[in-house]
Structures are given as structure tokens and as C-alpha cells.
Amino acid sequence: MVALHDFRKALDRLNTAVRVLGSVYPRSAGTVYRKRSDAVHDIIGTANVPEVTKALANSLTIGASRTLSASIAAPTTWADQRQAQSLTDLKPAPRRFRTAWRFWLT
């Protein structure tokens, strides 16, 4: 997940650059590119939430009673399922992003 986090930070920097660069082009020039980049960014963010949930749940189980540990299993299960769905959603998104019109090359 560290690689995905680094990719998400790189997309943040790219989106900032596109917004600045897009300001010198017609208003709609960078819209599709930005929307597709934002979509990938959001999916990666959604995939990261379960990772944080699991880390927090694991830290709560240290020294916890058996009853509490069993209760913490539910969010961990949810996190695994949500993360799997997010990563499935991520598969087509980079392809759509890569095929977006590179408005600055025209």
C-alpha cells in the first residue's frame, strides 16, 4: 500500500500542475484530464481507508480481552472487503487516465 500512497501523492502534484497549466488554455482543455486523474486519486484514497482501519483495529487488540478482540474482527473484515473492492475498481481507472487528451501537447 505504500506504493499506492506514493502514487496518490504524485497525482496530487500532477493535479496541481494541471490546474496551473490549464489556466493558460481554453477553459475546458484540462477538464477531462483532471476528472480522470481525480478518479484514480479518489479510488486510491478509498483503498487506503481500510488499511488505516486495519492498523487501528490491530492496535486496539494489543492487550485487549478476548471479547473485545472478537468485536474488533468485524471492522477488520469490512476493511478487507472494502479494500478488495477498491483495488478492483482501480484496475480500469489508470487506463482511462492514460488515454485522456494531453491538452498541453496541442
Side-chain angles (χ1 to χ4, degrees):
M1 290 306 290
V2 172
L4 283 178
H5 181 69
D6 290 344
F7 183 46
R8 186 169 190 243
K9 290 190 318 188
L11 283 172
D12 277 336
R13 291 189 299 272
L14 175 65
N15 284 339
T16 300
V18 167
R19 280 183 179 87
V20 171
L21 185 62
S23 68
V24 298
Y25 288 87
R27 185 169 178 84
S28 64
T31 302
V32 171
Y33 194 86
R34 239 185 4 259
K35 283 183 180 181
R36 291 184 183 182
S37 174
D38 286 343
V40 174
H41 181 270
D42 292 347
I43 292 169
I44 294 171
T46 302
N48 195 42
V49 169
E51 193 67 26
V52 173
T53 301
K54 289 189 288 188
L56 288 172
N58 288 336
S59 69
L60 289 173
T61 59
I62 297 171
S65 68
R66 192 174 295 178
T67 306
L68 181 59
S69 294
S71 298
I72 293 172
T76 302
T77 301
W78 167 85
D80 287 338
Q81 293 169 349
R82 184 64 185 116
Q83 190 170 40
Q85 181 60 51
S86 296
L87 294 175
T88 299
D89 294 344
L90 181 60
K91 288 180 183 176
R95 183 176 54 247
R96 288 192 305 268
F97 170 60
R98 284 191 309 268
T99 60
W101 174 47
R102 291 179 175 96
F103 63 93
W104 62 89
L105 296 176
T106 57

